[in-house]
Amino acid sequence: MSRTQYEKVIPSLRDALLAAQKRLHDEKPFALAVVVTGLPAAGRSEIVNEFLEWLDPKHIQVRALQKLRRSSRAWPAMWRYWNALPARGEIAFFFMGWYEDLMRPALRRSKGTRQDLARAVQRIRQFESMLPRDGVRILKLHLTVDEAVQKDRIRKLREDKLTRWRVTHEERWLARHYDQVQAAAQSCMEATNQPGVEWCVVDGTDPQSRSFAAGKLLLDALEEGFSGQLPKFAKRKAMSVSGQVLSGSHPGERLDDDAYDEELERLRGRFALLTRRSRFRQHGAVLAFEGMDAAGKGGAIRRLTSALDARQYSVVPISAPTPEERSYPYLWRFWRRVPQQGEIAIFDRSWYGRVLVERVRGFASPPDWQRAYDEINEFEQQLVEHGLIVHKFWLQVSKDEQLQRFQERDHDTLKRYKVDPEDWKNRRHYDDYQIAAREMIRRTSVAAAAPWTVVEADDKKYARLKVLRTVCEAIERALD
């Protein structure tokens, strides 16, 4: 493209992009994540800099997360990308983005990395198929140049003292291994192409043609987002659920106060010692509590935390999402609270709200909650792969016992705050919750990774001891 042609077409393209960005910010129908990858000297930085000049930078984020690679090793691999997602109405540019973790093992080509590579591809495909359906559109740009052009540009940059800093040791290595890098990039792009999140390859040889092509792709991505059209993803059918009834009562005898206090103290001591073992620092734990209202989740959690150093754990109470949280994908607020290795996060209600209250009360559409089972399984699998111990508890209370607890709280001025109109509304859907809970447990209980434990909670003492005992056993299995 000649300079004259460039100067003719760029003003109208820039105006169209500015108008689209303003509409995006005003209406907030989606967010746009732009992943920019490419060969050294192909123009990645130049493209992003031009976009920052063309658009209003107040509503743009630029994410170069390579520097966080070392400091974020205490968290699962995808943690830093979830935390960097743009909110609805914003645009974020990611240098390499989540593809950095895929390119490195692809370049090594060793047998030991084949499984890592396959798993990285699986994580990315699931991540990129989920985001558009949760309001984050993705544009993937890969800039390329032939070897001769690359060498010439790197030589010129290194000869000039003012630009020498732009050529890093890593980029020089990548340039020396041009064919290997090209093959790895091609392999990664082929493995992660799927409907709606295809790769767009931009020739970086001519800077002016490169700018126009990238700008047009950005405008197309914004206009496609405004259209509201999504790729047609396969619909998942809900699994048939057995008629097994979750019971709130346990088969054993009720413990007297002295026996309960003695066993409680023994289990708390066991739990405390396990979390202080040196090997626990290589793990950490995520404990999720779900159950019917008044099932005793809070009481069970307090018996756990009373055994711990307050600096070692956090309790995360989950309620309806805030306006800020609704502007991100639904798993975003849970990824933000994932603990680092050696720490414990206890969720009082959790990401399972999508397939429980949102399903039962109609807050999520059937396609959204039906796909959530696979997304939740993938989320938990990533936590487990990082060494975190994941265990989930469903506290089951019978309908009669729940009513009795509601009435007792209503008559106790110190506990009346625990029952609100929403609790009584949920009680009207008790049977629907039972159906949803059975399906949830069946579809998301992986014995070796992130199992569920159903706790018979009509007897509070029994429930609290069972929770403590189960947590201790889960940690012992992981450490031994």
Side-chain angles (χ1 to χ4, degrees):
M1 177 182 289
S2 69
R3 185 71 186 174
T4 303
Q5 291 173 315
Y6 178 80
E7 289 175 351
K8 280 184 179 179
V9 297
I10 287 301
S12 58
L13 176 59
R14 178 177 178 174
D15 290 344
L17 282 169
L18 271 171
Q21 185 194 22
K22 185 176 186 308
R23 181 183 174 188
L24 176 67
H25 179 255
D26 291 345
E27 299 177 11
K28 296 179 172 50
F30 61 92
L32 180 61
V34 184
V35 180
V36 183
T37 70
L39 302 177
R44 287 175 298 173
S45 297
E46 289 83 353
I47 282 293
V48 174
N49 286 338
E50 282 188 305
F51 286 149
L52 290 173
E53 291 176 3
W54 294 356
L55 300 171
D56 184 347
K58 292 194 298 291
H59 309 300
I60 293 177
Q61 306 164 22
V62 178
R63 305 291 195 181
L65 302 176
Q66 294 92 330
K67 292 179 181 178
L68 287 176
R69 187 169 62 245
R70 285 181 180 274
S71 60
S72 64
R73 283 178 182 168
W75 285 271
M78 297 298 289
W79 173 83
R80 66 187 193 270
Y81 307 119
W82 273 95
N83 278 275
L85 287 177
R88 289 176 186 261
E90 296 181 349
I91 301 173
F93 292 95
F94 291 85
F95 280 99
M96 289 301 290
W98 39 93
Y99 283 90
E100 181 192 11
D101 295 328
L102 183 57
M103 279 293 291
R104 288 180 177 276
L107 281 169
R108 288 200 295 270
R109 293 179 174 179
S110 61
K111 283 186 179 180
T113 63
R114 287 180 185 173
Q115 276 190 326
D116 295 339
L117 185 59
R119 184 68 186 104
V121 167
Q122 186 182 16
R123 280 198 299 264
I124 287 173
R125 288 181 65 88
Q126 190 275 339
F127 183 61
E128 292 184 344
S129 67
M130 177 187 182
L131 291 187
R133 293 179 288 190
D134 273 356
V136 181
R137 298 280 178 152
I138 302 171
L139 172 63
K140 300 191 291 190
L141 301 176
H142 180 75
L143 279 72
T144 184
V145 289
D146 64 37
E147 190 172 10
V149 172
Q150 183 189 68
K151 284 184 177 179
D152 184 56
R153 287 182 179 172
I154 289 177
R155 177 183 58 79
K156 289 179 179 177
L157 287 170
R158 295 194 66 213
E159 286 176 351
D160 189 335
K161 291 181 180 180
L162 297 178
T163 58
R164 190 176 297 164
W165 62 271
R166 292 176 56 184
V167 184
T168 65
H169 290 292
E170 182 178 13
E171 288 181 326
R172 289 168 60 189
W173 185 94
L174 293 171
R176 288 198 302 271
H177 298 82
Y178 181 90
D179 291 338
Q180 184 178 337
V181 173
Q182 276 282 55
Q186 186 64 31
S187 174
C188 290
M189 288 191 290
E190 289 174 0
T192 56
N193 251 344
Q194 51 185 333
V197 282
E198 299 91 348
W199 278 98
C200 301
V201 179
V202 177
D203 185 353
T205 305
D206 174 41
Q208 293 164 350
S209 298
R210 177 188 66 203
S211 299
F212 178 75
K216 187 68 169 63
L217 288 167
L218 179 61
L219 181 60
D220 291 344
L222 289 166
E223 290 177 344
E224 186 178 322
F226 292 128
S227 74
Q229 293 181 349
L230 284 172
K232 296 199 177 200
F233 298 100
K235 290 185 180 178
R236 298 188 59 85
K237 294 181 181 177
M239 291 175 62
S240 60
V241 183
S242 69
Q244 177 187 4
V245 176
L246 299 174
S247 175
S249 60
H250 63 91
E253 295 183 1
R254 287 182 177 265
L255 291 174
D256 61 37
D257 289 346
D258 290 340
Y260 166 72
D261 290 340
E262 183 179 343
E263 181 64 4
L264 178 65
E265 194 59 30
R266 188 185 69 80
L267 287 172
R268 286 197 293 200
R270 179 180 169 189
F271 181 39
L273 290 173
L274 284 169
T275 60
R276 292 170 190 172
R277 286 175 60 176
S278 59
R279 289 194 64 186
F280 187 76
R281 290 197 292 270
Q282 301 166 23
H283 291 275
V286 173
L287 307 175
F289 286 80
E290 293 286 353
M292 303 302 297
D293 294 320
K297 296 182 293 296
I301 290 170
R302 284 194 296 275
R303 271 63 186 182
L304 283 171
T305 57
S306 64
L308 299 174
D309 184 330
R311 294 168 294 182
Q312 191 178 14
Y313 72 89
S314 61
V315 176
V316 186
I318 298 299
S319 55
T322 65
E324 180 195 15
E325 290 166 344
R326 285 197 295 270
S327 69
Y328 291 91
Y330 81 94
L331 282 177
W332 174 81
R333 60 175 172 153
F334 304 109
W335 269 104
R336 295 182 72 202
R337 304 306 295 268
V338 168
Q340 61 182 323
Q341 288 174 330
E343 296 182 353
I344 301 171
I346 302 173
F347 288 84
D348 186 350
R349 300 201 183 276
S350 69
W351 42 97
Y352 284 97
R354 176 56 62 102
V355 295
L356 288 171
V357 63
E358 292 185 36
R359 167 186 175 171
V360 171
R361 299 288 299 276
F363 300 146
S365 65
D368 284 339
W369 64 256
Q370 286 168 9
R371 67 180 168 86
Y373 295 112
D374 287 342
E375 294 166 355
I376 288 170
N377 282 333
E378 172 64 27
F379 167 54
E380 293 174 353
Q381 183 65 29
Q382 291 185 38
L383 304 185
V384 171
E385 287 171 349
H386 189 62
L388 294 171
I389 300 160
V390 179
H391 207 99
K392 295 137 6 181
F393 295 91
W394 173 264
L395 273 66
Q396 175 64 17
V397 66
S398 65
K399 207 169 186 179
D400 291 342
E401 178 66 21
Q402 184 191 54
L403 178 59
Q404 182 179 334
R405 292 182 185 179
F406 276 12
Q407 291 171 340
E408 287 175 356
R409 290 176 177 182
D410 269 343
H411 295 142
D412 187 337
T413 55
L414 297 178
K415 294 184 178 181
R416 193 171 294 160
Y417 73 94
K418 291 186 175 183
V419 181
D420 60 29
E422 279 299 308
D423 294 331
W424 288 102
K425 284 181 184 177
N426 282 329
R427 179 172 165 76
R428 292 200 292 269
H429 298 278
Y430 183 96
D431 294 337
D432 294 329
Y433 273 104
Q434 296 299 296
I435 293 170
R438 288 199 296 272
E439 182 169 6
M440 170 192 75
I441 291 168
R442 182 173 176 179
R443 295 183 66 170
T444 61
S445 188
V446 183
W452 278 98
T453 293
V454 177
V455 179
E456 302 85 350
D458 280 2
D459 181 346
K460 291 182 180 180
K461 294 176 183 177
Y462 173 86
R464 292 164 182 171
L465 295 178
K466 182 171 181 177
V467 167
L468 260 168
R469 189 178 300 112
T470 303
V471 170
C472 291
E473 291 169 354
I475 295 175
E476 285 168 347
R477 283 195 300 272
L479 301 189
D480 296 337

